[in-house]
């Protein structure tokens, strides 16, 4: 998964990657050359007392160091730039995919997990790539080159490496194997912390109202501690690694000095070569340790890559039509027909809607009423394609909504959702969400119809008054009215109001519907409502029960012959009021 993700997203950066590989190669070669030069200066300059030799080779050493520093800086620069670009590209790809998701896929992953995948998971992959750019070239060259150089200096002394390298390899492999599952579970636990935290922030008011602070604190503490324990376990293993490597380095150094001293005494080796040998030993051990450090990050990045790929590989269940064949013009003015629509949520045993038929015409108001959970919101959601029907079809002006160009659909259908959502910004930026070029006059007019003019005028800044994320700085009723005004500004052919008047008092509800009547006289209006008074004057009332249409007609017709409707009405009004 990780390789697939990297191959797909690193291919545009072949040139900078090639360049940084070359720079890493040069800087590693320079690093490997330095101890040999140093040994030369000691053996041929210092021991022989040849100042000219020291100066010439000292200058050469300086030159090699400059090459090493310049190449290293360049490699780090390109590595950081390319890994940041990779992070940006993968985040954009995940975001694009999530944007194409219908409510079904968003529900399947869950919002917190999608956020973690787009941010933290991408960051983990990015970090591994940065490490790999720095170490993947230099560590193997440093290790193999170090061994070759050490052998070149003194073959018998290199026997020490024969003992050091296998011990390091075995212990480091054991450490990596222990770390893998820990990193895997750390990512899942991070997801849990995010989920719990998000739930507690959004549900803050409920927690306060039920005085469940301690319970929630405990729940968060548990998730937090779970994550901490895993992090500590990985930390403990990592902490073991450094003393282990340092012990090996020190023991090996003592061995090298011990045996080296004997080799010098017997005339088999020079003093400068011994210092160079020690430097190579250090380079070899360090390169192995750095490579291990990189490999430790691999399991975590692998898990993250899997999670990212899972999102990228998920196709939206609401597929936009092919641009060449999509319908770009509608001939009538908002004639809506739902024909034999079935719909079931993924994983649910029973369908929520069964063979639903409904017709809503321009100039008419169609109301949908039914008990809680009867499928009213789901039915409305089929029109702007929040979901697609499992069988049957939704037609606008005779065209299947699955074939209509999404932009045209957005202009034609305006939905005021049951839980209206406002974005952070201002009143005006929210109202212009569906039509950015609307004038201030048009905004005020829409606010007037939605019975929101007065309260917006009273806000400091009026149209420019700030709105917080989710619209939490206005009341539920005000939010509903702003959401209605937002849809009015959009001026669609078909208005869908999903229980949009429920947070309004009776007087405001009545005034709003009167004003709305004039505004939408030519349009198709579909209203879902719980309150009978909101819909009794509708041209057609559709009664929904357990996902089926059990009646359709005007108020007095349904009162006469529809038992479900009568029950709903009489639960709210007296016989006399209902007549
Ligand atoms: N995202 C979802 N996943 C699974 N089931 C769902 C989902 N949303 C709704 N349902 C189920 O679908 C059924 C219909 O829900 P829907 O929201 O359409 O009803 P409703 O008539 O609008 O209810 P209300 O009047 O309470 O708003 C319910 O039984 C509900 O449990």
């Amino acid at each position: 998964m990780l390789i697939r993700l990297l191959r797909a997203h690193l291919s545009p950066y072949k040139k900078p990657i090639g360049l940084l590989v070359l720079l890493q190669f040069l800087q590693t070669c320079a690093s490997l050359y330095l101890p040999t030069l140093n040994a030369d200066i000691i053996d041929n300059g210092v021991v022989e007392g040849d100042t000219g030799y020291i100066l010439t080779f000292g200058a050469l050493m300086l030159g090699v160091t400059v090459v090493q520093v310049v190449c290293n800086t360049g490699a780090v620069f390109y590595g950081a730039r390319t890994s940041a670009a990779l992070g940006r590209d993968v985040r954009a790809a995940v975001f694009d995919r999530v944007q194409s998701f219908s409510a079904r896929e968003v529900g399947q992953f869950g919002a917190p997990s999608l956020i973690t995948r787009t941010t933290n998971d991408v960051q983990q992959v990015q970090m591994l790539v940065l490490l790999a750019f720095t170490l993947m070239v230099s560590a193997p060259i440093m290790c193999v080159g170090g061994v070759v150089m050490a052998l070149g200096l003194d073959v018998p002394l290199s026997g020490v490496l024969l003992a050091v390298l296998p011990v390091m390899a075995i212990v480091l492999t054991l450490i990596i194997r222990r770390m893998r599952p820990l990193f895997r579970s750390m990512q899942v636990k991070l997801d849990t912390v995010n989920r719990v935290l998000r739930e507690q922030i959004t549900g803050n008011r409920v927690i306060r109202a039920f005085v469940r602070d301690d319970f929630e604190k405990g729940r968060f503490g548990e998730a937090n501690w779970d994550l901490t324990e895993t992090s500590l376990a990985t930390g403990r293993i990592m902490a073991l690694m450094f003393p282990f490597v340092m012990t090996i380095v020190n023991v090996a150094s003592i061995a090298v000095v011990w045996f080296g001293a004997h080799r010098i005494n017997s005339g088999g080796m020079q003093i400068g070569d011994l210092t160079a040998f020690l430097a190579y030993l250090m380079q070899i051990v360090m390169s192995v340790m750095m490579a291990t450090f990189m490999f430790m990050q691999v399991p975590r990045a692998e898990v993250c890559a899997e999670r990212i790929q899972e999102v990228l590989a998920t196709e939206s269940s609401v597929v936009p039509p092919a641009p060449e064949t999509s319908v770009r013009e509608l001939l009538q003015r908002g004639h809506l027909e739902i024909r034999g629509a079935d719909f079931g949520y993924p994983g649910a045993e029973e369908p929520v809607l069964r063979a639903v038929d409904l017709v809503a015409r321009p100039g008419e108001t169609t109301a949908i009423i039914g008990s809680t959970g009867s499928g009213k919101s789901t039915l409305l959601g089929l029109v702007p394609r929040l979901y697609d029907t499992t069988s049957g079809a939704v037609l606008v002006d005779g065209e299947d909504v699955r074939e209509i160009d999404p932009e045209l659909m957005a202009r034609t259908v305006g939905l005021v959702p049951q839980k209206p959502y406002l974005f952070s910004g201002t009143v005006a930026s929210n109202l212009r969400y569906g039509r950015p070029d609307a004038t201030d006059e048009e905004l005020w007019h829409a606010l007037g119809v939605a019975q929101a003019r007065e309260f917006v005028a009273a806000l400091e800044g009026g149209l420019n008054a700030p709105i917080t994320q989710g619209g939490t700085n206005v009341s539920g009723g005000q939010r509903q009215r702003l959401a209605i005004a937002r849809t009015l500004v959009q001026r669609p052919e078909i208005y869908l109001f999903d229980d949009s008047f429920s947070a309004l008092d009776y007087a405001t509800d009545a005034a709003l519907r009167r004003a709305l009547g004039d505004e939408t006289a030519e349009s198709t209006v579909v209203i879902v409502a719980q309150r009978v008074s909101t819909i009794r004057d509708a041209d057609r009332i559709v009664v929904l029960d357990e996902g089926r249409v059990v009646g359709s007609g005007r108020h007095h017709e349904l009162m006469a012959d529809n038992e479900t409707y009568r029950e709903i009405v009489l639960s709210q009004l007296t016989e006399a009021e209902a007549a």
Side-chain angles (χ1 to χ4, degrees):
M1 277 295 175
L2 180 62
I3 302 289
R4 227 170 74 192
L5 183 76
L6 295 183
R7 200 180 299 151
H9 288 92
L10 280 178
S11 55
Y13 302 105
K14 280 187 188 131
K15 268 191 196 161
I17 293 174
L19 190 60
L20 81 88
V21 167
L22 179 69
L23 291 170
Q24 285 288 9
F25 178 76
L26 291 176
Q27 78 97 8
T28 316
C29 289
S31 301
L32 282 171
Y33 190 32
L34 285 173
T36 299
L37 276 176
N38 194 31
D40 255 7
I41 292 175
I42 294 172
D43 293 340
N44 303 324
V46 180
V47 174
E48 305 290 327
D50 185 345
T51 315
Y53 195 92
I54 296 175
L55 287 177
T56 315
F57 276 79
L60 181 59
M61 239 181 126
L62 197 66
V64 174
T65 309
V66 170
V67 170
Q68 194 226 350
V69 169
V70 170
C71 290
N72 192 23
T73 312
V76 170
F77 173 76
Y78 282 111
R81 227 168 72 148
T82 311
S83 59
L86 170 86
R88 177 199 58 205
D89 295 353
V90 177
R91 263 194 304 276
V94 176
F95 179 77
D96 276 355
R97 183 48 60 127
V98 172
Q99 282 284 300
S100 76
F101 283 173
S102 74
R104 177 195 283 237
E105 289 78 43
V106 174
Q108 178 189 324
F109 284 103
S113 181
L114 285 175
I115 293 172
T116 320
R117 287 169 203 239
T118 319
T119 51
N120 186 279
D121 286 7
V122 175
Q123 201 184 350
Q124 296 300 333
V125 174
Q126 185 181 328
M127 254 168 62
L128 177 79
V129 169
L130 181 62
L131 267 179
F133 282 159
T134 323
L135 298 171
M136 220 161 58
V137 181
S138 63
I141 299 178
M142 189 77 94
C143 184
V144 176
V147 172
V148 171
M149 297 301 266
L151 278 170
L153 285 171
D154 196 87
V155 177
L157 197 56
S158 304
V160 175
L161 295 176
L162 273 182
V164 170
L165 288 178
V167 173
M168 269 191 84
I170 291 169
V171 178
L172 293 179
T173 310
L174 288 178
I175 289 180
I176 293 182
R177 277 176 56 173
R178 181 87 187 82
M179 295 288 261
R180 263 174 184 267
L182 287 175
F183 274 136
R184 200 172 277 271
S185 79
M186 221 158 106
Q187 223 47 29
V188 177
K189 286 174 183 176
L190 184 68
D191 235 10
T192 311
V193 168
N194 281 350
R195 184 166 44 78
V196 173
L197 183 65
R198 192 186 145 100
E199 199 171 37
Q200 292 177 346
I201 292 171
T202 29
N204 177 276
R205 284 162 185 245
V206 184
I207 296 170
R208 286 281 148 78
F210 281 81
V211 199
R212 296 289 277 173
D213 302 53
D214 286 343
F215 170 76
E216 292 298 336
K217 247 186 231 162
R219 203 154 75 95
F220 181 78
E222 224 170 81
N224 197 11
W225 179 239
D226 210 15
L227 175 64
T228 313
E229 265 189 335
T230 313
S231 311
L232 283 175
T234 58
R236 273 194 288 268
I237 298 175
M238 269 205 209
L240 265 183
M241 198 172 103
F242 288 96
F244 162 73
V245 172
M246 288 326 289
T247 310
I248 288 199
V249 169
N250 291 330
V251 170
S253 300
I254 293 168
V256 166
V257 173
W258 174 268
F259 291 117
H262 282 90
R263 298 266 310 135
I264 291 169
N265 270 345
S266 63
M269 193 181 188
Q270 285 185 298
I271 181 99
D273 288 348
L274 181 62
T275 53
F277 197 96
L278 279 172
Y280 286 127
L281 176 72
M282 192 64 99
Q283 284 184 341
I284 294 164
V285 173
M286 282 303 154
S287 64
V288 174
M289 196 181 81
M290 297 304 267
T292 311
F293 187 66
M294 186 190 90
F295 281 113
M296 269 186 339
Q297 305 289 330
V298 172
R300 193 170 188 186
E302 253 173 8
V303 178
C304 294
E306 253 170 49
R307 287 156 50 98
I308 295 169
Q309 280 290 9
E310 207 185 337
V311 177
L312 292 177
T314 303
E315 295 291 339
S316 175
S317 55
V318 173
V319 186
E324 325 72 72
T325 54
S326 67
V327 175
R328 291 178 177 273
E329 206 181 337
L330 294 170
L331 299 176
Q332 290 161 297
R333 289 187 52 86
H335 186 280
L336 171 68
E337 184 180 354
I338 296 176
R339 203 184 279 168
D342 283 348
F343 179 79
Y345 285 100
E349 280 177 16
E350 293 285 306
V352 174
L353 298 174
R354 300 156 207 248
V356 172
D357 290 317
L358 181 148
V359 175
R361 299 189 183 88
E364 287 183 2
T365 296
T366 306
I368 303 173
I369 196 163
S371 57
T372 300
S374 55
K376 306 181 293 294
S377 298
T378 308
L379 183 59
L380 276 201
L382 294 178
V383 183
R385 298 193 72 199
L386 303 187
Y387 317 94
D388 276 342
T389 53
T390 6
S391 67
V394 177
L395 308 171
V396 170
D397 292 344
E399 303 284 355
D400 192 316
V401 288
R402 286 170 288 206
E403 301 304 326
I404 302 175
D405 175 62
E407 300 242 330
L408 176 60
M409 272 300 282
R411 286 199 302 276
T412 310
V413 178
L415 169 71
V416 182
Q418 190 171 24
K419 282 189 232 149
Y421 189 89
L422 299 180
F423 294 92
S424 54
T426 61
V427 170
S429 69
N430 272 287
L431 294 182
R432 288 200 175 98
Y433 200 71
R435 200 157 64 85
D437 59 351
T439 62
D440 278 5
E441 284 69 38
E442 286 172 311
L443 302 191
W444 281 118
H445 174 72
L447 287 169
V449 176
Q451 309 300 303
R453 178 189 281 271
E454 264 178 47
F455 98 79
V456 171
L459 292 176
E460 198 176 328
L463 282 177
N464 293 319
I467 295 288
T468 52
Q469 193 183 46
T472 46
N473 63 337
V474 289
S475 77
Q478 290 169 339
R479 207 177 310 141
Q480 266 196 343
R481 281 178 275 168
L482 287 178
I484 293 169
R486 173 171 64 188
T487 302
L488 287 169
V489 170
Q490 186 190 344
R491 290 201 308 241
E493 314 281 1
I494 301 172
Y495 287 88
L496 306 173
F497 295 102
D498 188 357
D499 218 0
S500 309
F501 314 110
S502 59
L504 310 179
D505 58 75
Y506 276 88
T508 314
D509 179 11
L512 196 153
R513 278 184 294 111
R514 250 194 324 275
L516 208 56
D518 299 336
E519 187 70 14
T520 60
E522 309 271 291
S523 317
T524 306
V525 177
V526 182
I527 297 180
V528 163
Q530 299 278 5
R531 226 184 256 165
V532 175
S533 60
T534 309
I535 53 125
R536 64 184 290 166
D537 298 327
D539 300 290
R540 190 177 312 101
I541 300 169
V542 176
V543 187
L544 216 56
D545 189 27
E546 294 186 355
R548 291 180 195 280
V549 175
V550 293
S552 170
R554 294 190 76 103
H555 172 73
H556 60 270
E557 293 165 357
L558 290 167
M559 277 305 282
D561 65 12
N562 190 290
E563 201 41 48
T564 313
Y565 186 71
R566 265 181 71 81
E567 253 177 48
I568 296 171
V569 172
L570 294 178
S571 68
Q572 297 179 28
L573 307 175
T574 61
E575 195 77 55
E577 285 169 330

